[in-house]
Coordinates of all heavy atoms in Angstrom, one line a residue:
M944 N 27.2 -6.0 32.0 CA 28.5 -6.5 32.0 C 29.4 -5.7 31.1 O 29.0 -5.4 30.0 CB 28.5 -8.0 31.5 CG 29.9 -8.6 31.2 SD 29.8 -10.3 30.6 CE 30.1 -11.1 32.1
A945 N 30.6 -5.3 31.5 CA 31.5 -4.5 30.7 C 32.5 -5.4 30.0 O 33.1 -6.3 30.7 CB 32.2 -3.5 31.6
M946 N 32.8 -5.2 28.8 CA 33.9 -5.8 28.1 C 34.7 -4.6 27.6 O 34.3 -3.5 27.6 CB 33.3 -6.6 27.0 CG 32.4 -7.7 27.4 SD 33.0 -8.9 28.6 CE 34.0 -9.9 27.5
P947 N 36.1 -4.9 27.2 CA 36.9 -3.7 26.9 C 36.3 -3.0 25.7 O 36.6 -1.8 25.5 CB 38.1 -4.5 26.4 CG 38.2 -5.8 27.2 CD 36.7 -6.1 27.3
W948 N 35.4 -3.5 24.9 CA 34.9 -2.8 23.7 C 33.4 -2.3 23.9 O 32.9 -1.8 23.0 CB 34.9 -3.8 22.5 CG 34.3 -5.1 22.8 CD1 33.0 -5.4 22.6 CD2 34.9 -6.3 23.4 NE1 32.7 -6.7 23.0 CE2 33.8 -7.3 23.5 CE3 36.2 -6.6 23.7 CZ2 34.1 -8.5 24.0 CZ3 36.4 -7.9 24.2 CH2 35.4 -8.8 24.3
G949 N 32.8 -2.6 25.0 CA 31.4 -2.2 25.2 C 30.8 -2.8 26.4 O 31.4 -3.5 27.2
I950 N 29.5 -2.4 26.6 CA 28.8 -2.8 27.7 C 27.5 -3.6 27.2 O 26.8 -3.2 26.3 CB 28.3 -1.6 28.6 CG1 29.4 -0.8 29.1 CG2 27.3 -2.0 29.6 CD1 29.0 0.5 29.6
Y951 N 27.3 -4.8 27.9 CA 26.2 -5.6 27.5 C 25.2 -5.4 28.6 O 25.5 -5.6 29.8 CB 26.5 -7.0 27.3 CG 27.4 -7.3 26.1 CD1 28.8 -7.2 26.1 CD2 26.8 -7.6 24.8 CE1 29.6 -7.4 25.1 CE2 27.6 -7.7 23.7 CZ 29.0 -7.7 23.9 OH 29.8 -7.8 22.7
V952 N 23.9 -5.1 28.3 CA 22.8 -5.0 29.3 C 21.7 -6.0 28.9 O 21.3 -6.0 27.7 CB 22.2 -3.5 29.3 CG1 21.1 -3.5 30.2 CG2 23.3 -2.6 29.6
H953 N 21.4 -6.8 29.8 CA 20.3 -7.8 29.6 C 19.0 -7.0 29.3 O 18.7 -5.9 29.9 CB 20.0 -8.6 30.8 CG 19.1 -9.7 30.6 ND1 17.8 -9.6 30.5 CD2 19.4 -11.1 30.3 CE1 17.2 -10.8 30.3 NE2 18.2 -11.7 30.2
P954 N 18.3 -7.4 28.3 CA 17.0 -6.6 27.9 C 16.0 -6.4 29.1 O 15.4 -5.3 29.1 CB 16.4 -7.5 26.8 CG 17.5 -8.3 26.3 CD 18.4 -8.5 27.4
D955 N 16.0 -7.3 30.0 CA 15.1 -7.0 31.2 C 15.5 -5.9 32.0 O 14.7 -5.2 32.7 CB 15.1 -8.3 32.1 CG 14.5 -9.5 31.5 OD1 13.8 -9.4 30.4 OD2 14.6 -10.6 32.0
R956 N 16.8 -5.5 31.9 CA 17.2 -4.3 32.7 C 17.1 -3.0 32.0 O 17.3 -1.9 32.7 CB 18.7 -4.5 33.1 CG 18.8 -5.6 34.1 CD 20.1 -5.6 34.9 NE 20.0 -4.6 35.9 CZ 20.9 -4.4 36.8 NH1 21.9 -5.2 36.9 NH2 20.8 -3.5 37.7
L957 N 16.7 -3.0 30.7 CA 16.7 -1.7 30.0 C 15.6 -0.8 30.5 O 15.6 0.4 30.3 CB 16.4 -2.0 28.5 CG 17.6 -2.6 27.8 CD1 17.3 -3.0 26.4 CD2 18.9 -1.8 27.8
Q958 N 14.5 -1.3 31.1 CA 13.5 -0.5 31.6 C 13.6 -0.1 33.0 O 12.8 0.6 33.6 CB 12.1 -1.2 31.4 CG 11.8 -1.6 30.0 CD 11.7 -0.3 29.1 OE1 11.2 0.6 29.5 NE2 12.3 -0.4 27.9
R959 N 14.7 -0.6 33.7 CA 14.8 -0.3 35.2 C 15.3 1.1 35.4 O 16.0 1.7 34.7 CB 15.8 -1.3 35.8 CG 15.2 -2.7 35.8 CD 16.2 -3.7 36.4 NE 16.7 -3.2 37.7 CZ 17.2 -4.0 38.6 NH1 17.2 -5.3 38.4 NH2 17.6 -3.5 39.7
P960 N 14.8 1.7 36.5 CA 15.2 3.0 36.8 C 16.6 3.3 37.1 O 17.1 4.4 37.0 CB 14.3 3.4 38.0 CG 13.9 2.2 38.6 CD 13.9 1.1 37.5
D961 N 17.4 2.2 37.4 CA 18.8 2.3 37.8 C 19.7 2.1 36.6 O 20.9 1.9 36.7 CB 19.2 1.4 39.0 CG 19.0 -0.1 38.6 OD1 18.3 -0.4 37.6 OD2 19.5 -0.9 39.4
L962 N 19.1 2.1 35.4 CA 20.0 1.8 34.2 C 21.1 2.8 34.0 O 22.3 2.4 33.7 CB 19.1 1.9 32.9 CG 19.8 1.6 31.6 CD1 20.4 0.2 31.6 CD2 18.9 1.8 30.5
G963 N 20.9 4.1 34.4 CA 22.0 5.0 34.3 C 23.1 4.7 35.2 O 24.3 4.8 34.9
R964 N 22.8 4.3 36.4 CA 23.8 4.0 37.4 C 24.6 2.7 36.9 O 25.8 2.7 37.1 CB 23.1 3.7 38.7 CG 24.1 3.2 39.9 CD 23.4 2.9 41.1 NE 22.7 4.0 41.7 CZ 22.9 4.4 42.9 NH1 23.8 3.8 43.7 NH2 22.3 5.4 43.4
L965 N 23.8 1.7 36.4 CA 24.5 0.6 36.0 C 25.5 0.9 34.8 O 26.6 0.3 34.8 CB 23.4 -0.4 35.4 CG 23.9 -1.7 34.7 CD1 24.7 -2.6 35.6 CD2 22.8 -2.4 34.0
I966 N 25.1 1.7 33.9 CA 26.0 2.0 32.7 C 27.2 2.8 33.3 O 28.3 2.5 32.9 CB 25.2 2.8 31.6 CG1 24.2 1.8 31.0 CG2 26.2 3.4 30.7 CD1 23.3 2.4 30.0
V967 N 27.0 3.7 34.1 CA 28.2 4.4 34.7 C 29.1 3.5 35.4 O 30.3 3.5 35.2 CB 27.7 5.6 35.6 CG1 28.9 6.2 36.3 CG2 27.0 6.7 34.8
H968 N 28.5 2.7 36.2 CA 29.3 1.6 36.9 C 30.2 0.8 35.9 O 31.3 0.6 36.1 CB 28.4 0.7 37.7 CG 29.0 -0.5 38.5 ND1 29.2 -0.4 39.8 CD2 29.7 -1.6 38.0 CE1 29.8 -1.5 40.2 NE2 30.1 -2.2 39.2
E969 N 29.5 0.3 34.8 CA 30.3 -0.5 33.9 C 31.4 0.4 33.1 O 32.4 -0.1 32.8 CB 29.3 -1.2 32.9 CG 28.4 -2.1 33.6 CD 29.1 -3.3 34.4 OE1 30.2 -3.6 34.1 OE2 28.4 -3.7 35.3
L970 N 31.0 1.6 32.8 CA 32.0 2.5 32.2 C 33.2 2.7 33.1 O 34.4 2.8 32.6 CB 31.4 3.9 31.8 CG 30.4 3.9 30.7 CD1 29.7 5.2 30.6 CD2 31.1 3.6 29.3
V971 N 33.1 2.7 34.4 CA 34.2 2.9 35.3 C 35.1 1.6 35.2 O 36.3 1.7 35.2 CB 33.7 3.0 36.8 CG1 34.9 3.0 37.8 CG2 33.0 4.4 37.0
H972 N 34.5 0.5 35.0 CA 35.3 -0.8 34.8 C 36.1 -0.6 33.6 O 37.3 -1.1 33.5 CB 34.4 -2.0 34.8 CG 34.0 -2.4 36.2 ND1 34.8 -2.4 37.3 CD2 32.8 -2.9 36.6 CE1 34.1 -2.8 38.4 NE2 32.8 -3.1 38.0
I973 N 35.5 -0.2 32.5 CA 36.2 0.0 31.2 C 37.4 0.9 31.4 O 38.5 0.7 30.9 CB 35.3 0.5 30.1 CG1 34.4 -0.7 29.8 CG2 36.1 0.9 28.9 CD1 33.2 -0.3 28.8
D974 N 37.2 2.1 32.1 CA 38.2 3.0 32.5 C 39.3 2.3 33.2 O 40.5 2.5 33.0 CB 37.7 4.2 33.2 CG 38.8 5.2 33.5 OD1 39.4 5.7 32.5 OD2 39.0 5.5 34.7
Q975 N 39.0 1.5 34.2 CA 40.0 0.8 35.0 C 40.8 -0.1 34.2 O 42.0 -0.2 34.4 CB 39.2 -0.1 36.1 CG 38.6 0.8 37.2 CD 37.5 0.0 38.0 OE1 37.2 -1.2 37.7 NE2 37.2 0.6 39.2
W976 N 40.2 -0.8 33.2 CA 40.9 -1.7 32.3 C 42.0 -0.9 31.6 O 43.1 -1.3 31.3 CB 40.0 -2.4 31.4 CG 39.3 -3.5 32.0 CD1 39.5 -4.1 33.2 CD2 38.0 -4.1 31.5 NE1 38.5 -5.1 33.4 CE2 37.6 -5.1 32.4 CE3 37.3 -3.9 30.3 CZ2 36.4 -5.8 32.2 CZ3 36.1 -4.7 30.1 CH2 35.7 -5.7 31.0
R977 N 41.5 0.2 31.1 CA 42.4 1.1 30.3 C 43.6 1.6 31.2 O 44.7 1.7 30.7 CB 41.7 2.3 29.7 CG 40.8 1.9 28.6 CD 40.2 3.0 27.9 NE 39.4 2.5 26.8 CZ 38.2 3.0 26.3 NH1 37.8 4.1 26.9 NH2 37.6 2.4 25.4
R978 N 43.3 1.9 32.4 CA 44.3 2.4 33.4 C 45.3 1.3 33.8 O 46.5 1.5 33.9 CB 43.7 3.0 34.7 CG 43.1 4.4 34.4 CD 42.7 5.0 35.7 NE 42.4 4.1 36.8 CZ 41.3 4.0 37.5 NH1 40.2 4.7 37.1 NH2 41.1 3.2 38.5
L979 N 44.8 0.1 34.1 CA 45.6 -0.9 34.7 C 46.0 -2.0 33.7 O 46.9 -2.8 34.0 CB 44.7 -1.7 35.8 CG 44.3 -0.8 36.9 CD1 43.3 -1.5 37.9 CD2 45.5 -0.2 37.7
G980 N 45.4 -2.0 32.5 CA 45.6 -3.2 31.6 C 44.8 -4.4 32.1 O 44.4 -4.4 33.3
A981 N 44.5 -5.3 31.2 CA 43.6 -6.4 31.5 C 44.3 -7.3 32.7 O 43.6 -7.7 33.6 CB 43.4 -7.3 30.3
V982 N 45.6 -7.5 32.6 CA 46.2 -8.4 33.6 C 46.3 -7.7 34.9 O 45.9 -8.2 35.9 CB 47.7 -8.8 33.1 CG1 48.4 -9.5 34.2 CG2 47.6 -9.6 31.8
G983 N 46.6 -6.4 34.9 CA 46.6 -5.6 36.2 C 45.3 -5.6 36.8 O 45.1 -5.7 38.0
W984 N 44.3 -5.3 36.0 CA 42.9 -5.3 36.4 C 42.5 -6.6 37.1 O 42.0 -6.7 38.2 CB 41.9 -4.9 35.4 CG 40.5 -4.6 35.8 CD1 40.0 -3.5 36.3 CD2 39.5 -5.6 36.0 NE1 38.7 -3.7 36.6 CE2 38.4 -4.9 36.5 CE3 39.4 -7.0 35.8 CZ2 37.2 -5.5 36.7 CZ3 38.2 -7.6 36.0 CH2 37.1 -6.9 36.5
A985 N 42.7 -7.7 36.4 CA 42.4 -9.0 36.9 C 43.2 -9.3 38.2 O 42.6 -9.9 39.1 CB 42.6 -10.1 35.9
R986 N 44.4 -9.0 38.2 CA 45.3 -9.2 39.4 C 44.7 -8.5 40.6 O 44.5 -9.1 41.7 CB 46.7 -8.8 39.2 CG 47.6 -9.1 40.3 CD 49.0 -8.6 40.0 NE 49.6 -9.3 38.9 CZ 50.3 -8.7 37.9 NH1 50.5 -7.5 37.9 NH2 50.7 -9.4 36.8
S987 N 44.4 -7.2 40.4 CA 43.8 -6.5 41.5 C 42.5 -7.0 42.0 O 42.1 -7.2 43.2 CB 43.7 -5.0 41.2 OG 43.1 -4.2 42.1
Y988 N 41.6 -7.2 41.0 CA 40.2 -7.7 41.3 C 40.2 -9.0 42.0 O 39.6 -9.1 43.1 CB 39.5 -7.7 39.9 CG 38.0 -7.8 40.0 CD1 37.2 -6.7 39.9 CD2 37.3 -9.0 40.2 CE1 35.8 -6.7 40.0 CE2 35.9 -9.1 40.4 CZ 35.2 -7.9 40.2 OH 33.8 -8.0 40.3
M989 N 40.9 -10.0 41.4 CA 40.9 -11.3 42.0 C 41.7 -11.3 43.3 O 41.3 -12.1 44.3 CB 41.4 -12.3 41.0 CG 40.6 -12.4 39.7 SD 38.8 -12.7 40.0 CE 38.8 -14.4 40.7
G990 N 42.8 -10.6 43.3 CA 43.6 -10.5 44.6 C 42.7 -10.0 45.8 O 42.7 -10.6 46.8
D991 N 41.9 -8.9 45.5 CA 41.0 -8.4 46.5 C 39.9 -9.4 47.0 O 39.7 -9.6 48.1 CB 40.4 -7.1 46.1 CG 41.2 -5.9 46.2 OD1 42.4 -6.0 46.6 OD2 40.8 -4.8 45.8
Y992 N 39.4 -10.1 45.9 CA 38.3 -11.0 46.2 C 38.8 -12.2 47.1 O 38.2 -12.5 48.1 CB 37.7 -11.5 44.9 CG 36.7 -12.6 45.1 CD1 35.4 -12.3 45.5 CD2 37.0 -14.0 44.9 CE1 34.5 -13.2 45.8 CE2 36.0 -14.9 45.3 CZ 34.8 -14.6 45.6 OH 33.8 -15.5 45.9
F993 N 40.0 -12.8 46.6 CA 40.5 -13.9 47.4 C 41.0 -13.5 48.7 O 40.9 -14.3 49.7 CB 41.5 -14.7 46.6 CG 40.9 -15.5 45.5 CD1 41.0 -15.2 44.2 CD2 39.9 -16.5 45.8 CE1 40.4 -15.9 43.1 CE2 39.2 -17.2 44.8 CZ 39.5 -16.9 43.5
R994 N 41.5 -12.3 48.9 CA 41.9 -11.8 50.2 C 40.7 -11.7 51.1 O 40.8 -12.1 52.3 CB 42.5 -10.4 50.2 CG 44.1 -10.4 50.3 CD 44.7 -9.0 50.4 NE 44.4 -8.2 49.3 CZ 45.0 -8.3 48.1 NH1 45.9 -9.2 47.9 NH2 44.6 -7.5 47.1
G995 N 39.6 -11.3 50.6 CA 38.4 -11.2 51.4 C 37.9 -12.6 51.7 O 37.5 -12.8 52.9
R996 N 38.0 -13.4 50.8 CA 37.5 -14.9 51.1 C 38.4 -15.5 52.2 O 37.9 -16.2 53.1 CB 37.5 -15.7 49.8 CG 36.4 -15.3 48.8 CD 35.0 -15.5 49.3 NE 34.8 -16.9 49.1 CZ 33.7 -17.6 49.6 NH1 32.8 -16.9 50.3 NH2 33.5 -18.8 49.4
R997 N 39.7 -15.3 52.1 CA 40.6 -15.9 53.0 C 40.4 -15.3 54.4 O 40.6 -15.9 55.4 CB 42.1 -15.7 52.6 CG 42.6 -16.7 51.6 CD 44.1 -16.7 51.4 NE 44.7 -15.5 51.1 CZ 44.8 -15.0 49.9 NH1 44.5 -15.7 48.8 NH2 45.3 -13.8 49.7
A998 N 39.9 -14.1 54.4 CA 39.6 -13.4 55.7 C 38.3 -13.8 56.3 O 37.9 -13.3 57.3 CB 39.7 -11.8 55.5
G999 N 37.6 -14.7 55.6 CA 36.4 -15.2 56.1 C 35.1 -14.6 55.5 O 34.0 -14.9 56.0
L1000 N 35.2 -13.6 54.6 CA 34.0 -13.1 54.0 C 33.3 -14.0 53.1 O 33.9 -14.9 52.5 CB 34.4 -11.9 53.2 CG 35.0 -10.6 54.0 CD1 35.4 -9.5 53.0 CD2 34.1 -10.2 55.1
K1001 N 32.0 -14.0 53.1 CA 31.2 -14.8 52.2 C 31.3 -14.1 50.8 O 31.8 -13.0 50.6 CB 29.7 -14.8 52.6 CG 29.6 -15.6 53.9 CD 28.2 -15.8 54.4 CE 28.2 -16.7 55.6 NZ 26.9 -16.9 56.1
H1002 N 30.9 -14.9 49.7 CA 31.1 -14.5 48.4 C 30.6 -13.0 48.2 O 31.4 -12.2 47.7 CB 30.4 -15.4 47.4 CG 30.2 -14.8 46.0 ND1 31.2 -14.7 45.2 CD2 29.1 -14.3 45.4 CE1 30.8 -14.1 44.1 NE2 29.5 -13.9 44.2
H1003 N 29.4 -12.7 48.5 CA 28.8 -11.4 48.2 C 29.6 -10.3 48.9 O 29.9 -9.3 48.4 CB 27.4 -11.3 48.5 CG 26.7 -10.0 48.1 ND1 26.5 -9.7 46.8 CD2 26.3 -9.0 48.9 CE1 26.0 -8.5 46.8 NE2 25.8 -8.0 47.9
D1004 N 30.0 -10.6 50.2 CA 30.7 -9.6 51.0 C 32.2 -9.4 50.4 O 32.7 -8.2 50.4 CB 30.8 -9.9 52.5 CG 29.5 -9.9 53.1 OD1 28.6 -9.1 52.6 OD2 29.2 -10.7 54.0
A1005 N 32.8 -10.5 50.0 CA 34.1 -10.4 49.4 C 34.0 -9.6 48.0 O 34.9 -8.8 47.7 CB 34.7 -11.7 49.1
Y1006 N 33.0 -9.9 47.3 CA 32.7 -9.1 46.0 C 32.5 -7.6 46.4 O 33.1 -6.8 45.7 CB 31.5 -9.7 45.3 CG 30.9 -8.8 44.3 CD1 31.5 -8.7 43.0 CD2 29.8 -8.0 44.6 CE1 30.9 -7.8 42.0 CE2 29.2 -7.2 43.6 CZ 29.8 -7.1 42.4 OH 29.2 -6.3 41.5
R1007 N 31.7 -7.3 47.4 CA 31.5 -5.8 47.7 C 32.8 -5.2 48.2 O 32.9 -3.9 48.1 CB 30.4 -5.8 48.8 CG 29.1 -6.3 48.4 CD 28.2 -5.4 47.6 NE 28.0 -4.1 48.4 CZ 27.4 -3.1 47.8 NH1 27.0 -3.1 46.6 NH2 27.2 -2.0 48.5
A1008 N 33.7 -5.9 48.7 CA 34.9 -5.3 49.3 C 36.0 -5.1 48.2 O 37.1 -4.6 48.6 CB 35.5 -6.3 50.4
I1009 N 35.8 -5.6 47.0 CA 36.8 -5.4 46.0 C 37.0 -3.9 45.7 O 36.0 -3.2 45.4 CB 36.4 -6.1 44.7 CG1 36.4 -7.7 45.0 CG2 37.4 -5.8 43.5 CD1 35.8 -8.5 43.8
A1010 N 38.2 -3.3 45.8 CA 38.4 -1.9 45.7 C 37.9 -1.4 44.3 O 37.4 -0.3 44.3 CB 40.0 -1.7 45.8
L1011 N 38.1 -2.2 43.2 CA 37.7 -1.7 41.9 C 36.1 -1.7 41.9 O 35.5 -0.8 41.2 CB 38.2 -2.7 40.8 CG 39.8 -2.6 40.7 CD1 40.2 -3.7 39.8 CD2 40.2 -1.3 40.2
E1012 N 35.5 -2.5 42.6 CA 34.0 -2.5 42.7 C 33.5 -1.3 43.5 O 32.6 -0.6 43.1 CB 33.4 -3.8 43.2 CG 33.5 -5.0 42.3 CD 32.6 -4.8 41.0 OE1 31.7 -4.0 41.0 OE2 32.9 -5.5 40.1
K1013 N 34.3 -1.1 44.6 CA 33.9 0.1 45.5 C 34.0 1.4 44.6 O 33.2 2.3 44.7 CB 34.9 0.2 46.6 CG 34.6 -0.8 47.7 CD 35.5 -0.5 48.9 CE 35.6 -1.5 49.9 NZ 36.6 -1.3 50.9
E1014 N 35.2 1.5 43.8 CA 35.3 2.7 43.0 C 34.2 2.8 42.0 O 33.6 3.9 41.9 CB 36.7 2.6 42.2 CG 36.9 3.8 41.4 CD 38.1 3.7 40.4 OE1 38.6 2.6 40.2 OE2 38.5 4.7 39.9
A1015 N 33.8 1.7 41.4 CA 32.7 1.8 40.4 C 31.4 2.2 41.0 O 30.6 3.0 40.5 CB 32.6 0.4 39.6
R1016 N 31.1 1.7 42.2 CA 29.9 2.0 42.9 C 30.0 3.5 43.4 O 28.9 4.2 43.2 CB 29.7 1.1 44.2 CG 29.2 -0.3 43.9 CD 28.7 -0.9 45.2 NE 29.7 -0.9 46.3 CZ 30.6 -1.8 46.5 NH1 30.8 -2.8 45.6 NH2 31.4 -1.7 47.5
D1017 N 31.1 4.0 43.8 CA 31.2 5.3 44.3 C 31.0 6.3 43.2 O 30.2 7.3 43.3 CB 32.6 5.6 44.9 CG 32.7 4.9 46.3 OD1 31.7 4.4 46.8 OD2 33.8 4.8 46.8
V1018 N 31.6 6.1 42.0 CA 31.5 7.0 40.9 C 30.1 7.0 40.4 O 29.4 8.0 40.1 CB 32.5 6.6 39.7 CG1 32.2 7.5 38.5 CG2 33.9 6.9 40.2
A1019 N 29.4 5.7 40.3 CA 28.1 5.6 39.8 C 27.1 6.3 40.8 O 26.2 7.0 40.3 CB 27.7 4.2 39.7
S1020 N 27.3 6.3 42.0 CA 26.5 6.9 43.0 C 26.6 8.5 42.9 O 25.6 9.2 43.0 CB 26.9 6.5 44.5 OG 26.5 5.2 44.7
H1021 N 27.9 8.9 42.7 CA 28.1 10.3 42.5 C 27.5 10.9 41.3 O 26.9 11.9 41.3 CB 29.6 10.6 42.6 CG 30.0 12.0 42.6 ND1 29.7 12.9 43.6 CD2 30.5 12.8 41.6 CE1 30.2 14.1 43.3 NE2 30.7 14.1 42.0
L1022 N 27.7 10.2 40.1 CA 27.3 10.7 38.9 C 25.8 10.4 38.5 O 25.2 11.2 37.8 CB 28.2 10.3 37.8 CG 29.6 10.7 37.8 CD1 30.5 10.2 36.6 CD2 29.7 12.3 37.9
A1023 N 25.4 9.3 38.9 CA 24.1 8.8 38.5 C 23.0 8.8 39.6 O 22.0 8.3 39.4 CB 24.2 7.4 37.8
G1024 N 23.4 9.2 40.7 CA 22.5 9.3 41.8 C 22.2 8.2 42.6 O 21.9 7.2 42.6
Ligands
ZN2090 ZN1 31.3 -3.9 39.0

């Protein structure tokens, strides 16, 4: 989980092979907060999520469709494999 001041990782995930990808993903969210501000980030994130839900997507699919999540996944895939 990313917060404006750092990233929290559950101890169970520290040994997982995808730790690098997770950290890059969360760093992208911190960069997004810096670019958009907390309010702008939340507006974009929640706006995309609720647009997805109103369009009939289930929770997980609406989450996956959030543009800020897509960006974080894309950068993490590119940089961390
Ligand atoms: Zn994310």
Side-chain angles (χ1 to χ4, degrees):
M944 168 184 263
M946 303 302 283
W948 54 86
I950 298 168
Y951 292 91
V952 178
H953 191 282
D955 290 350
R956 293 201 72 171
L957 291 174
Q958 300 300 321
R959 291 181 52 157
D961 63 345
L962 180 61
R964 179 187 292 239
L965 171 68
I966 289 174
V967 171
H968 179 106
E969 299 303 334
L970 286 171
V971 172
H972 284 317
I973 290 174
D974 181 59
Q975 292 166 345
W976 288 340
R977 288 187 178 145
R978 288 189 337 242
L979 302 172
V982 173
W984 187 89
R986 183 181 299 132
S987 175
Y988 195 98
M989 297 309 290
D991 281 358
Y992 177 78
F993 287 115
R994 256 188 302 282
R996 295 290 285 168
R997 280 195 303 273
L1000 298 178
K1001 294 187 177 177
H1002 165 72
H1003 186 71
D1004 293 330
Y1006 163 77
R1007 299 275 304 169
I1009 295 168
L1011 295 170
E1012 287 295 344
K1013 286 185 192 174
E1014 178 189 17
R1016 283 195 310 272
D1017 288 349
V1018 172
S1020 292
H1021 182 71
L1022 294 180

